[in-house]
Amino acid sequence: MHDRTHARPSRWPLRALALLSATLFCLISWAGTASAHGSIVEPASRNYGCWERWGDDHLNPAMQQEDPMCWQAWQDNPNAMWNWNGLYRNGVGGNHQAAIPDGQLCSGGQAEGGRYNSLDAVGPWTTTDVGDDFTLELYDQASHGADYFLVYVTRQGFDPTTQSLGWNDLELVRETGSYAPSQNISIDVSTSGRSGHHIVYTIWKASHMDQTYYICSDVDFG
């Protein structure tokens, strides 16, 4: 399930309703979005990818068949997508495994009152094709920079379509130093020995305060 393009039927009334709904949701959640920062946009985080593919068409029933994991996420809480840049926890103090239980890694330990719980759902999330060496692209709207990034990839043999993600399923493949404030940060990652569907798990410690982001991106190593 790797194709990120969709041939969608023309449903102009639904599109108009979707755009109106999107506007209302954006207005309702504006305060939270304005104070948030960003996410990994390539390979796309789960909620950014759902927003990117379906934000202007999220009421289209075709999503249920074409992109079922995004469908369940939109049904659970649309604000997880409108606020794709707000999946963080404050005051973790670097003790990530104590703050985030197994099975809740993609929601940041059910952060923001459970807004992102749908991102922990097990199933065939849409993937981005990558090679052994690839680049993560962070879009940081607030330009707060980073104290560090920790980049993990699931071990070979882990199956994201049937297994819930835990810390023991991850291998640390990149640990960075600090980055100056910027809206765009690139992180080169090198792996080996992987094939098929994996989860890239990125921990981003923002530099302006003790605020940490927990980001799941689904990839396919081919």
Side-chain angles (χ1 to χ4, degrees), residues 40-51:
I40 299 297
V41 297
E42 185 64 32
S45 65
R46 286 182 169 179
N47 54 334
Y48 177 81
C50 289
W51 173 81

Side-chain angles (χ1 to χ4, degrees), residues 95-106:
N95 199 358
H96 307 296
Q97 294 193 31
I100 313 297
D102 286 345
Q104 298 179 14
L105 275 67
C106 294

Side-chain angles (χ1 to χ4, degrees), residues 6-9 11 54 59-67 71:
H6 299 268
R8 303 171 192 159
R11 292 181 172 88
W54 297 98
L59 297 180
N60 189 337
M63 189 197 325
Q64 188 169 11
Q65 297 300 319
E66 295 180 19
D67 205 347
W71 172 262

Side-chain angles (χ1 to χ4, degrees), residues 29-105:
S29 60
W30 171 252
T33 301
S35 63
H37 303 281
S39 188
I40 299 297
V41 297
E42 185 64 32
S45 65
R46 286 182 169 179
N47 54 334
Y48 177 81
C50 289
W51 173 81
E52 184 182 40
R53 292 190 297 275
W54 297 98
D56 64 348
D57 202 16
H58 68 282
L59 297 180
N60 189 337
M63 189 197 325
Q64 188 169 11
Q65 297 300 319
E66 295 180 19
D67 205 347
M69 301 312 294
C70 281
W71 172 262
Q72 65 84 30
W74 283 103
Q75 304 313 301
D76 181 68
N77 192 335
N79 278 316
M81 275 61 70
W82 303 132
N83 292 275
W84 54 264
N85 55 7
L87 204 172
Y88 62 84
R89 297 183 69 91
N90 290 323
V92 172
N95 199 358
H96 307 296
Q97 294 193 31
I100 313 297
D102 286 345
Q104 298 179 14
L105 275 67

Side-chain angles (χ1 to χ4, degrees), residues 115-155:
R115 176 191 292 166
Y116 300 99
N117 288 3
S118 63
L119 305 185
D120 290 321
V122 174
W125 288 91
T126 296
T127 59
T128 300
D129 291 337
V130 298
D132 286 344
D133 301 321
F134 61 94
T135 301
L136 290 176
E137 300 287 347
L138 175 84
Y139 178 54
D140 174 10
Q141 290 177 310
S143 296
H144 278 306
D147 286 348
Y148 59 82
F149 290 90
L150 301 174
V151 182
Y152 300 82
V153 181
T154 48
R155 303 178 188 279

